[in-house]
Amino acid sequence: MVPALAIGFDDLHKRVEAQDKQAALHQEKLKELQGRLSALSQTHLLSNTLRSTRALQAHTLIKHRLLRLIEHIHLLIPSLRSAAISPEEEDLRAKLERLKDEVQRSLGSGGGRGRVNELWALLGAVKAAREREAGVGRDALEWKVVDQEGLERLATILAEQQQGLAHLTSLINNDMKDLQIMERACLFL
């Protein structure tokens, strides 16, 4: 509204009515914008939920494929095929199972699983380092492949797993960026 000279109550009354009309138009436009914003927000929420669900399914599939590979890896290493489980390994297995049960109880519905997976990887690395150190003075176990075809198959499987993990990581990073943008936009509402 533009400032204008108002002389008397009639001019003042006209001015108030004009301001009321303008305020009503503004309110109407605000409702329209809120509707568009809520529709846009709903669309983004649904698409991101779908994308995260797909990423979770892909992660689960890759995890299961990797576990199947780990189950059969001992067949590719001849020195492990004929080795019996030692009492120390049996004790370690029992301790790890107790720790696994304790961690699963403490996690409950699944928060922090990434950290647990990271710790499992770290535990595997520590165990491998200890085995290497222990094997320095005596006959150390080495990785051996029975045949070239098995090695090529193993390399192919690991390459596919790596590609899948890289793709999943990029999807999750993109989703995190989108989520941060949406959070910033929600702060301004």
Side-chain angles (χ1 to χ4, degrees), residues 90-189:
E90 191 63 36
D91 292 339
L92 181 61
R93 185 187 62 80
K95 287 178 185 176
L96 288 175
E97 285 179 359
R98 280 196 308 272
L99 286 173
K100 178 183 171 190
D101 292 340
E102 183 180 322
V103 166
Q104 285 179 344
R105 271 184 272 131
S106 70
L107 287 178
S109 65
R113 289 223 186 270
R115 179 72 176 136
V116 171
N117 289 337
E118 189 178 316
L119 290 174
W120 275 109
L122 184 61
L123 178 66
V126 168
K127 183 179 174 187
R130 284 186 182 172
E131 287 176 356
R132 277 195 307 270
E133 288 174 6
V136 169
R138 58 188 168 99
D139 238 354
L141 292 177
E142 294 179 4
W143 286 84
K144 296 178 185 172
V145 178
V146 177
D147 58 355
Q148 190 63 26
E149 180 184 318
L151 178 63
E152 290 171 2
R153 193 173 49 171
L154 178 63
T156 304
I157 290 170
L158 289 174
E160 289 173 359
Q161 296 292 329
Q162 182 64 30
Q163 288 174 346
L165 288 172
H167 179 69
L168 187 59
T169 302
S170 70
L171 281 176
I172 290 172
N173 286 336
N174 289 341
D175 286 346
M176 288 301 293
K177 289 176 185 173
D178 292 344
L179 186 61
Q180 288 172 351
I181 290 169
M182 288 184 348
E183 284 177 347
R184 281 184 282 197
C186 287
L187 290 176
F188 292 115
L189 293 178

Side-chain angles (χ1 to χ4, degrees), residues 14 36 45 50-51 53 79 102 116 148 154 164 169 177:
K14 287 178 189 176
R36 285 177 52 196
L45 179 68
L50 182 63
R51 287 174 65 192
T53 303
S79 58
E102 183 180 322
V116 171
Q148 190 63 26
L154 178 63
T169 302
K177 289 176 185 173

Side-chain angles (χ1 to χ4, degrees), residues 26-90:
H26 285 268
Q27 289 297 328
E28 207 174 294
K29 189 66 171 177
L30 276 174
K31 285 180 186 176
E32 178 187 331
L33 289 173
Q34 284 177 339
R36 285 177 52 196
L37 185 61
S38 66
L40 228 153
S41 174
Q42 185 72 15
T43 303
H44 282 297
L45 179 68
L46 290 175
S47 68
N48 286 340
T49 302
L50 182 63
R51 287 174 65 192
S52 65
T53 303
R54 282 188 199 146
L56 185 60
Q57 288 173 344
H59 170 70
T60 304
L61 179 67
I62 291 170
K63 178 181 169 185
H64 287 293
R65 287 174 62 193
L66 189 59
L67 287 175
R68 279 194 312 241
L69 174 68
I70 291 170
E71 273 182 52
H72 301 293
I73 195 76
H74 69 279
L75 298 174
L76 298 174
I77 307 169
S79 58
L80 290 180
R81 260 192 261 161
S82 61
I85 296 176
S86 68
E88 295 97 17
E89 290 174 327
E90 191 63 36

